[in-house]
Amino acid sequence: MSTSHHPESISGKSTCFSSNSNRRTRHSYWVFTNAGGCLCRAIRFTIRFPEDAPWPPTTNGTCQCTMCRKHTGGLIPQSCGIPTANISPPLKDNPTYKTYKSSSFAHRGFCGTCGSSLTFMYDKAPEQTEINLGVIDEDVLCGKRDEVNAWEDEYGRHVPRVGGLGRDICLAKEHIFMENAIPGVTDDLSGTKWLTDRSDGKGFTGKLADLKREK
C-alpha cells in the first residue's frame, strides 16, 4: 500500500479508561468524564467502555505514513480505536466537528475553529473511531497537579502528579509504516513493526537499519 494512504487499523477490542482511578472497579461501565477535545474546547467528549474490555488498550498504535503526519503535524502520530457508540456526545452532532475525505476509503476529523486533528475513520467501519491520543486531557494522561506539595530548586518549579493513565493508554506496542522512520529520531520504538501496512508483510522488532538484504 502506498504511503499516501492510511493503513488498516490495528485490530483488537477497545479498552476502558477511568480518570478517577488506576484500578478497575466493579461497575458495568467506566467513564472518562470530559476525557478530551480540541484546543479551543468547542469540541469536548466523554468516553464510555464496558468493564469487560481489555486493559491496557489493544487498539493502540503509531503510524508514520505521510498522510497521518500531514494531518496531525507529528512525526509519530498515535491513535487508539474506540467504539463510536462509546463517544458522547456524538462528534458528528457537533457543528464545529468537520471531516476531510483523505482517501477513497477513509476520512479524518478535525475542529473547524481551531484546526485540532481529532480522529480517523474508515468508511466501511463507521462503528469504530480512532482518537488521536494527543487530544486526551492532561489530567488523564499525566495526573492531576498536586500544587500543595510543589517545590522549587535551581531547575524551576516541580509539581507532583497524582494519578494519570498515560502509560496505560499511550504505550503503543505496534507500529506501522516504519519505512518512513527517521534514523536516530523515530526508528527506535519498542514493539512489533511493519514496513508499511500490517497486511503487506511480516512484522519485525529492532531498528529498520537492522534489516539487511539477503544475499
Side-chain angles (χ1 to χ4, degrees), residues 12-191:
K13 296 173 64 179
S14 292
T15 186
C16 51
F17 307 145
S18 171
S19 59
N20 300 318
S21 172
N22 288 335
R23 297 180 297 108
R24 298 188 73 101
T25 55
R26 289 295 180 180
H27 51 76
S28 59
Y29 284 90
W30 280 30
V31 180
F32 231 0
T33 304
N34 287 332
C38 65
L39 179 61
C40 72
R41 300 183 68 85
I43 298 174
R44 298 292 298 161
F45 56 79
T46 295
I47 303 175
R48 295 172 59 87
F49 291 100
E51 188 182 31
D52 61 356
W55 184 267
T58 59
T59 54
N60 178 338
T62 72
C63 176
Q64 296 189 51
C65 80
T66 298
M67 290 189 74
C68 282
R69 281 178 169 171
K70 294 289 188 181
H71 180 59
T72 64
L75 292 178
I76 312 178
Q78 185 172 354
S79 65
C80 187
I82 295 168
T84 303
N86 291 1
I87 303 172
S88 63
L91 293 173
K92 62 181 179 61
D93 290 350
N94 189 322
T96 309
Y97 180 73
K98 308 297 183 181
T99 60
Y100 169 67
K101 184 73 172 174
S102 56
S103 71
S104 61
F105 54 84
H107 60 274
R108 299 167 188 267
F110 61 97
C111 174
T113 300
C114 66
S116 294
S117 170
L118 300 171
T119 65
F120 173 90
M121 292 183 67
Y122 285 102
D123 296 338
K124 67 178 181 180
E127 71 280 0
Q128 178 99 337
T129 298
E130 293 187 27
I131 296 287
N132 295 332
L133 291 178
V135 305
I136 300 298
D137 286 348
E138 178 183 319
D139 285 355
V140 177
L141 294 178
C142 306
K144 295 185 180 298
R145 295 171 64 88
D146 182 8
E147 298 287 351
V148 173
N149 291 305
W151 78 95
E152 295 187 14
D153 59 17
E154 66 270 26
Y155 301 106
R157 189 167 185 269
H158 303 259
V159 182
R161 298 282 186 159
V162 179
L165 299 173
R167 180 176 175 80
D168 286 346
I169 299 170
C170 302
L171 186 60
K173 297 181 179 179
E174 298 186 333
H175 314 278
I176 50 181
F177 278 84
M178 291 298 297
E179 69 173 9
N180 287 350
I182 302 171
V185 180
T186 70
D187 59 338
D188 192 15
L189 303 176
S190 177

